[in-house]
Structures are given as structure tokens and as C-alpha cells.
Amino acid sequence: MAQPDVSQTQLYEWLTGDDDSRMCDDIPDDACQEQPHNFFLHLFASLGNKLADELSSARLVLPWLLGIIGAPVWMVGLLVPIREAGALLPQLFVAGFIRLKPQRKWVWVAGAVLQAMAAIALALLALMGSGAIGSLVLAALVMLSLARGLSSIATKDVLGKTIAKRRRGTLMGWSGSVAGGSTLVAGGVLMWFGDRPGNLALAILLGVAAAGWLLNALCAARIKEVPGAVEGGENAWDSIKLGLSLLREDRTFLHFNVARALLLSSALALPYLALLGQQQSGTELGGLGILVVVSGLAAMVASPIWGKRADQSSRRVMRDAAVGTVLCCLLGAALAWLPGDWTQSVLPYAAIYALLVIVHHGVRLGRKTYLVDIASQDNRALYVALSNTLTGVLMLVVGGIIGALAQWLGSAMLLVVLALTAAGAVFSAQRLPEAE
């Protein structure tokens, strides 16, 4: 097998803090030799994926698309649940299918290509510009979301086969930093388009999103993945039964999913904190662009630090991020209740939003690293699929409850409720055993 490029290996060792790139804990020797090469392919694949996610955001870009084409308001409320839950719910049903593939990267490639096709469809719908095609926008989003779920489970499985333990958190940290830079680009583009981007501008954004997923697919295809075992593949029903038995038998896995459910508070708090800021600046794109930019800056700063810490103890990262969520939610609520002209601006909310983004990256990196590390090569795909499916169900249920509470209590008081939920996550994560 060809030896990796010396300069590439040196850069890899600098990024990871390794003195010897050949040190591997739980991947085959052949995969270990290719680890520097694969590290950078994972990194650039993440860049394409994150840029595409930002430019097709169900919280930002697609609502404008529905608004411009005159679609009914109730459709806007379906965007985020479809985007998030649609990517998570089906994963348990495809875990067995992926298990039958000796090289799982091709499932990842297929998912990325399907997402690119969905983004192209959305771009064409933007050009059509008619309220009658609102339902087609939702249909394209369903396709995009399901393809995202396919890529998600395959990505984590390939990560576990190609990058050694105690390097995965570092990789995801640098990926988050690179992706944060792409978010800055996305925010700058949105601000450059002005307050009311037209159909052509949205079509261009969605076209660039499609290009991002094609970059993701190209990088995934070039990853050198050693063929793995294919025994134990299950159909959907068998996967469900096996998944439920895992929850009964593996107490650590069950406990992890409880902590992960409570940690949803960081994700659920972000749009409501942004909403408080938007109430001060109106609905102009400039205020939203500021939030996108601070989100990118926060990701660039936070992700490498969280990633390094996750390789030491992903459990402590989850716990500390939960503490940060409590503080950010309480700060946001307090800011909404404080008097004074200085609170009548989007900027203080943007500052707290940036802090919460930093915390949320800790939540994501901690739970991703923990989940990959507690699983083995034989059951990693099933563990990821089951955990994501459970989270998808909870997101639909909890998202509806949170929406009703926000309507009743208001955004500020809802942040207090989410702070209490995050406090539960602190204690839950603290009781988890170490995975590293």
C-alpha cells in the first residue's frame, strides 16, 4: 500500500497533536496507514456538507422561499420538524441494510448525491416562484431530509472504521471550525443580498448548496475504507427488536440516550433566543445575517477546543456543555426582562446567541464522540441509528410541546424551562461512565 504524503502526514500530526500518526487503538493496520489521508477527506467533506446545510437552512433560507412564492403560513411551521426529524427517524430501518455493505462509504455518497438533487429541485422551484408549488417545496425537503439521514449513519460508521479512537473528537472539532468559516461565508452572502432576496438570489444559494453536497460526495468516494464484516445485517423489524433489546441490556447506552434527550434543550433554545433578538431588530435580513455570522465565528473558536477535550472525556464535555446551556438560557431570559435602551437591540442577544452556539457545539461533539466510542465496529451502525431514531421521535413530540409552551408562556419564560431541562442533563451526564 502506498505511503501517505510526508507533508500531509506532518500537517495531520500538527492538527491532532500526534507525535506518531501510526498510533491507532481500534482500527485495522491498513486503515491506520491511511489515517492522515482519510482525515483530510473527512475534513473537506464536512466543509461541503456544512456550507450546504447553511445555504438550505430550514430556519432561514427556506422560510424566505415560501414567503416569496406566497405559500400558506402553516407550511413554514413544518420546515424544521421535517428537516430534523425526517433525517433521524428512518435511520433504524436502514441500519441493517448498511450493515450488509462491506464498504459503507458508498451509502454516504448516495445520500450526499440525493441531497444535491433535492437542492437543485428547490432551486428550480425558487425560479418558478408560485404559491401553488409550496407543497413541492415540502416534498423536496422530505427527500433532502431522508437522504441526510442515510448519509448521517454511514458517515459515523465510516468515521469509526477510518479514524482511530482519541482522534475522532479532534477531527470533528476541526471540522466544526472549518464549517464555521463556511457559515461566515453564508452569512456574508445573505447580508450582501439585502433585506429581500428575490427568487434568483435564492436559486443561486440553493445551487451552491447542491455543489457543497457534491463536494461531500466526492470526498466520501475517495476515502480509503477497508472492507468490514457484513454478518449480522437485519431487516427493519429485526433491527427494531434488536434495538429495543440493546436498550434493555446495555444500561450505558440507555443512560446516554436519556442524557442526549435532556441535551436537546440547547438546540431548542437557539431559535427562541434568536426570536428575542429579531423582535428588537424586526424581520430584516441584516439582523439574521448578524446571527449567522456570530454563529460561524463561535463555531470556529469553539469546535477545536471541544474536540480536544472530547478525546480526553466526552462525558465531561457533555456535562460542561449542559452547564453552559443553563447559564445561556438564564442570561437570555434575564436580558428580555431587563429595562433600558441597550436591551432594545439585536446585539446583546447576538452575543448570548454566540455563547449558546459555542455551548451547542460542545453538546454535539460530546454526544457524537461518546456514541461512537461506546460502540464497537460490529454494532456502531445500529447504535447510531437507534439513538438517532429515538431522538427523532422525541424531537417531534418535544418540539410540539415546546411550541405550545412558547405560545402560552412567551419566549423568555420558555428559556427558563429549557434551563431547568439542561440542569437535568448536567446530572445525567455526570453519572455516565467514561467512554475513552
Side-chain angles (χ1 to χ4, degrees):
M1 183 173 294
Q3 295 297 315
D5 181 77
V6 174
S7 60
Q8 182 185 69
T9 301
Q10 290 175 339
L11 180 57
Y12 163 80
E13 292 176 352
W14 178 79
L15 289 174
T16 60
D18 274 344
D19 293 327
D20 188 350
S21 62
R22 295 168 296 178
M23 293 180 61
C24 301
D25 292 336
D26 63 339
I27 60 175
D29 289 340
D30 288 345
C32 188
Q33 289 284 345
E34 301 294 347
Q35 191 169 215
H37 170 84
N38 288 332
F39 184 93
F40 289 104
L41 287 173
H42 277 286
L43 194 63
F44 286 113
S46 176
L47 168 62
N49 183 69
K50 182 63 176 179
L51 182 61
D53 273 343
E54 291 298 330
L55 295 182
S56 62
S57 169
R59 294 174 180 170
L60 195 61
V61 176
L62 296 186
W64 296 338
L65 173 58
L66 290 181
I68 286 176
I69 65 177
V73 175
W74 61 265
M75 289 187 177
V76 177
L78 293 177
L79 292 173
V80 171
I82 288 175
R83 174 69 164 166
E84 300 300 328
L88 297 175
L89 285 174
Q91 293 193 14
L92 184 59
F93 298 93
V94 300
F97 165 77
I98 292 176
R99 178 65 182 164
L100 295 174
K101 305 296 180 183
Q103 285 191 319
R104 287 73 185 263
K105 70 178 184 179
W106 298 116
V107 179
W108 175 357
V109 171
V113 171
L114 287 173
Q115 287 180 91
M117 293 173 60
I120 292 172
L122 287 168
L124 293 175
L125 291 172
L127 290 175
M128 292 173 63
S130 169
I133 53 94
S135 58
L136 295 179
V137 172
L138 295 182
L141 182 59
V142 169
M143 174 184 171
L144 192 153
S145 184
L146 294 175
R148 183 188 185 194
L150 194 65
S151 284
S152 176
I153 185 173
T155 299
K156 292 181 178 66
D157 202 39
V158 174
L159 174 67
K161 291 175 64 182
T162 57
I163 304 296
K165 187 179 287 190
R166 301 181 69 85
R167 303 294 175 267
R168 296 163 189 156
T170 301
L171 169 61
M172 286 188 279
W174 281 110
S175 296
S177 183
V178 171
S182 70
T183 304
L184 288 178
V185 174
V189 169
L190 291 173
M191 296 176 70
W192 180 73
F193 275 137
D195 294 338
R196 299 290 296 178
N199 298 59
L200 179 60
L202 283 174
I204 292 172
L205 287 178
L206 292 165
V208 176
W213 275 308
L214 290 177
L215 172 63
N216 182 267
L218 177 63
C219 292
R222 295 186 61 200
I223 287 175
K224 296 180 180 179
E225 178 190 4
V226 177
V230 297
E231 295 81 8
E234 307 283 347
N235 59 36
W237 177 240
D238 288 338
S239 293
I240 292 173
K241 292 191 293 184
L242 180 57
L244 293 176
S245 69
L246 280 175
L247 287 174
R248 290 193 302 267
E249 298 168 5
D250 191 336
R251 306 303 294 180
T252 297
F253 183 55
L254 174 61
H255 192 177
F256 163 77
N257 281 285
V258 172
R260 180 177 179 178
L262 294 170
L263 285 167
L264 286 175
S265 51
S266 68
L268 292 171
L270 279 168
Y272 291 104
L273 186 57
L275 180 60
L276 288 172
Q278 290 170 12
Q279 289 172 353
Q280 308 304 324
S281 64
T283 58
E284 294 182 356
L285 182 57
L288 294 175
I290 290 173
L291 294 177
V292 172
V293 169
V294 299
S295 175
L297 287 172
M300 291 179 66
V301 172
S303 293
I305 299 173
W306 285 123
K308 285 284 187 181
R309 291 197 61 206
D311 281 333
Q312 300 299 319
S313 173
S314 53
R315 176 192 67 83
R316 288 200 295 268
V317 167
M318 293 166 64
R319 179 202 63 195
D320 295 347
V323 172
T325 301
V326 174
L327 296 176
C328 288
C329 288
L330 293 178
L331 281 173
L335 184 61
W337 290 327
L338 285 174
D341 294 338
W342 68 278
T343 64
Q344 309 302 309
S345 166
V346 70
L347 295 180
Y349 292 97
I352 300 176
Y353 186 88
L355 291 175
L356 186 54
V357 169
I358 291 173
V359 168
H360 182 58
H361 274 274
V363 170
R364 288 173 57 84
L365 279 166
R367 56 99 171 160
K368 284 182 180 181
T369 306
Y370 194 91
L371 179 57
V372 172
D373 284 352
I374 63 172
S376 66
Q377 291 190 34
D378 293 335
N379 60 20
R380 185 174 288 116
L382 180 60
Y383 269 51
V384 172
L386 178 60
S387 182
N388 286 347
T389 300
L390 290 172
T391 303
V393 173
L394 283 172
M395 186 168 291
L396 285 176
V397 175
V398 176
I401 295 173
I402 290 297
L405 286 175
Q407 187 70 27
W408 177 40
L409 298 174
S411 297
M413 193 63 199
L414 180 67
L415 288 176
V416 176
V417 173
L418 291 174
L420 294 175
T421 305
V426 174
F427 293 104
S428 184
Q430 177 64 28
R431 294 179 57 231
L432 284 171
E434 294 287 354
E436 283 70 37

